[in-house]
Amino acid sequence: MKDNTEIKQYYPICEEIITAARRLHQKNMLAAADGNISCRVTGNKVLITPSGVSKAFMTPEEMALVSLDNKTLQGKPSSEKIMHLEVYRLCPEAKAVVHAHPPTAIAWTVARPELAFLPSHAVSEVILACGDIPFVPYARPGTQAMGDNLKQFLPQHRALILSRHGALTWGESLDEAWMGMERIEHSSEILWKAHVLGGLTFLPDEEVLALKAIRQRIGDRLL
Ligand SMILES: [Zn+2]
């Protein structure tokens, strides 16, 4: 068994990751062993949840440590680490990445594969809090394509829906990343309910432009 002295110093961060996972699990965005959460702990090292365990009920001892060039330093990291590492490589500001399986967001990509973005121009809050949320083309789980497909959307998007799979958010803090995930699913639910209740309607173009201008002044952070 590998010595875990190095990872021990990161136990407080591990606890924060597990707390974030519990929140997402309670909100039905993590079933069984789904999803993964990571934090960049040094310029070249990333703490990431392990594969095959429930992230809401794991212990800090189970956490894995990987290098940016995809070497496992400790533990059994998720095969979806490819996506996390791509974000850290392309987004110097990224400190945390959250990947979950929010059901309504995924359902949008299954029902409406022709869309490039979540149709969020119906709701001011979404435009102000995170801007457009793109649908990333489908990639088979565990493959290099998962990371490659993200490239065209980084670093400009921090909230992304992965077609027929899940969603990914990143931030300058763990809070920013998990709250962004909450935002994706909440917005997807509002739009789904509007669709069921009578159909989507959208804000006028000039209002969308005005909201986008405010968003630009706010900056890139997910709110
Ligand atoms: Zn996944």
Side-chain angles (χ1 to χ4, degrees), residues 14-176:
C14 298
E15 295 286 4
E16 285 177 38
I17 289 175
I18 296 166
T19 302
R22 280 202 195 113
R23 290 192 174 116
L24 295 170
H25 180 260
Q26 278 164 4
K27 290 183 173 258
N28 195 31
M29 290 190 256
L30 292 174
D34 287 351
N36 20 79
I37 301 178
S38 68
C39 283
R40 192 195 319 242
V41 289
T42 69
N44 182 44
K45 287 179 187 170
V46 172
L47 203 56
I48 186 164
T49 49
S51 70
V53 302
S54 165
K55 311 317 182 269
F57 302 102
M58 56 170 286
T59 62
E61 292 79 9
E62 293 175 280
M63 201 68 74
L65 193 65
V66 295
S67 64
L68 270 197
D69 56 352
N70 199 10
K71 288 195 178 69
T72 299
L73 305 172
Q74 204 167 307
K76 199 176 146 224
S78 159
S79 61
E80 294 180 323
K81 66 186 173 191
I82 296 158
M83 293 191 294
H84 295 245
L85 296 176
E86 205 57 63
V87 173
Y88 292 118
R89 282 192 210 110
L90 295 176
C91 313
E93 289 166 314
K95 289 283 183 337
V97 177
V98 170
H99 164 55
H101 292 182
T104 318
I106 298 169
W108 270 105
T109 70
V110 174
R112 303 292 303 276
E114 77 283 6
L115 297 178
F117 295 89
L118 187 70
S120 57
H121 291 180
V123 189
S124 58
E125 199 60 39
V126 187
I127 303 170
L128 291 175
C130 60
D132 287 332
I133 304 174
F135 288 0
V136 178
Y138 173 77
R140 192 179 307 149
T143 61
Q144 181 58 43
M146 289 184 99
D148 293 343
N149 286 0
L150 285 178
K151 284 180 185 168
Q152 61 176 304
F153 301 101
L154 300 173
Q156 65 272 32
H157 292 284
R158 297 188 182 197
L160 308 108
I161 299 176
L162 312 172
S163 294
R164 301 175 187 275
H165 175 183
L168 182 138
T169 53
W170 66 268
E172 290 163 49
S173 68
L174 183 55
D175 281 352
E176 182 185 353

